[in-house]
Amino acid sequence: MTEDEARDWLASRFDPKRVAHIERFLAMVIEETAAQNLIAPSTIETIWTRHAVDSAQLLALGNDEGVWVDVGTGGGFPGVVIAMLRDAPITLVEPRKRRAAFLEHVVTTLGLSHTTVVAAKVEQIAATAEVISARAVASVEKLLQATAHCATPETRWILPRGRLDPQELALLQRQQRGMMFHVEHSITDAASVIIVAESKR
C-alpha cells in the first residue's frame, strides 16, 4: 500500500472531517518526534500506511459502542486514530509521562472529549472494556494477564503482532483454554497479522 492508497482508503471509508483530524494529528506526531521518539524516524515517510491505516483497520474488528481501552498507546497508535474514528469512550493507557503529556495535548487540541488519557500501567487502572487493543506491547499471554481485571465475558482483544509463528498461536491456544483466538491479516502488510481473542462462551 502506497501513501496515496492509504489516504484514499481512509477517504473512502470515513467522513472528510475525521480524515482531516487524522492529517492534523500525524503532523503533530512528526513534529513531536523531533523532541521524543514517538515513532521510528524511518517510518515518517510512510506514516499514513504504517501508522494511520495500520491503526484504523482495527476499528472494523471492534465495535462502535462501549468502552475501548488501548494499552501502551505511546505516540497515539492505534488509540488516537481509533478515537478520531468513533464517538464512544476510549481510554489511552500510557505509563511514560512525556508520551502521556503529548497524548493529553492531542486530546485537548483536537477536541476528543470522549477520550481519557491515563498515565499509568494498565495493571493500575480501574476500567471495564468491551474492546482492548495493544500494538507491539508485550506478549499476548502477558497482555491477557495484565488486562484481565478490565475484561468481561464479552470483551474482545485486538492485538496487531507483526509476523506470527504458527507454533506461537498453537501454544497460546493450549495455554489459554478459556479463550478463542483467530488471526486477521493486516491490509498494510501481508506478512503481518492481527490476533483477535475472546472468551469462550
Side-chain angles (χ1 to χ4, degrees), residues 79-152:
V80 172
V81 175
I82 296 296
M84 288 187 285
L85 297 178
R86 72 195 289 269
D87 298 321
I90 181 165
T91 298
L92 312 179
V93 182
E94 176 49 56
R96 290 164 289 190
K97 302 300 182 186
R98 286 187 70 196
R99 295 193 180 193
F102 170 71
L103 295 173
E104 287 279 14
H105 172 63
V106 168
V107 166
T108 300
T109 302
L110 298 182
L112 302 176
S113 58
H114 61 299
T115 306
T116 302
V117 178
V118 180
K121 292 184 177 181
V122 70
E123 292 90 340
Q124 299 169 323
I125 74 168
T128 301
E130 279 69 36
V131 179
I132 298 172
S133 60
R135 185 187 190 211
V137 178
S139 67
V140 174
E141 184 179 8
K142 286 182 179 179
L143 277 167
L144 293 175
Q145 292 172 349
T147 58
H149 66 291
C150 299
T152 72

Side-chain angles (χ1 to χ4, degrees), residues 144 151-157 170 172-182 196-201:
L144 293 175
T152 72
E154 285 74 43
T155 297
R156 173 176 288 188
W157 285 261
L172 265 176
Q173 291 170 330
R174 289 197 300 271
Q175 291 176 336
Q176 305 289 331
R177 294 189 179 277
M179 303 288 294
M180 297 185 299
F181 298 90
H182 77 268
V196 180
E198 295 175 292
S199 296
K200 288 182 179 177
R201 303 188 186 112

Side-chain angles (χ1 to χ4, degrees), residues 1-200:
M1 178 179 282
T2 66
E3 289 294 271
D4 285 342
E5 289 170 341
R7 289 172 184 261
D8 289 345
W9 187 92
L10 286 163
S12 68
R13 288 164 173 79
F14 301 104
D15 183 273
K17 288 184 180 179
R18 293 186 188 267
V19 178
H21 261 93
I22 291 175
E23 185 166 17
R24 189 176 177 193
F25 166 59
L26 296 182
M28 294 172 73
V29 170
I30 292 170
E31 182 179 359
E32 183 66 17
T33 292
Q36 58 171 316
N37 192 31
L38 296 180
I39 60 173
S42 62
T43 67
I44 288 176
E45 291 186 358
T46 55
I47 194 168
W48 283 89
T49 305
R50 186 79 176 269
H51 298 292
V53 173
D54 197 61
S55 298
Q57 67 178 326
L58 305 184
L59 190 65
L61 301 175
N63 60 50
D64 293 329
E65 300 176 356
V67 177
W68 187 309
V69 171
D70 185 51
V71 180
T73 304
F77 306 103
V80 172
V81 175
I82 296 296
M84 288 187 285
L85 297 178
R86 72 195 289 269
D87 298 321
I90 181 165
T91 298
L92 312 179
V93 182
E94 176 49 56
R96 290 164 289 190
K97 302 300 182 186
R98 286 187 70 196
R99 295 193 180 193
F102 170 71
L103 295 173
E104 287 279 14
H105 172 63
V106 168
V107 166
T108 300
T109 302
L110 298 182
L112 302 176
S113 58
H114 61 299
T115 306
T116 302
V117 178
V118 180
K121 292 184 177 181
V122 70
E123 292 90 340
Q124 299 169 323
I125 74 168
T128 301
E130 279 69 36
V131 179
I132 298 172
S133 60
R135 185 187 190 211
V137 178
S139 67
V140 174
E141 184 179 8
K142 286 182 179 179
L143 277 167
L144 293 175
Q145 292 172 349
T147 58
H149 66 291
C150 299
T152 72
E154 285 74 43
T155 297
R156 173 176 288 188
W157 285 261
I158 303 174
L159 309 172
R161 304 305 298 175
R163 288 172 171 77
L164 180 71
D165 185 333
Q167 293 182 345
E168 183 182 346
L169 184 60
L171 181 61
L172 265 176
Q173 291 170 330
R174 289 197 300 271
Q175 291 176 336
Q176 305 289 331
R177 294 189 179 277
M179 303 288 294
M180 297 185 299
F181 298 90
H182 77 268
V183 171
E184 299 283 343
H185 288 275
S186 171
I187 64 170
T188 61
D189 180 356
S192 294
V193 303
I194 303 160
I195 293 179
V196 180
E198 295 175 292
S199 296
K200 288 182 179 177

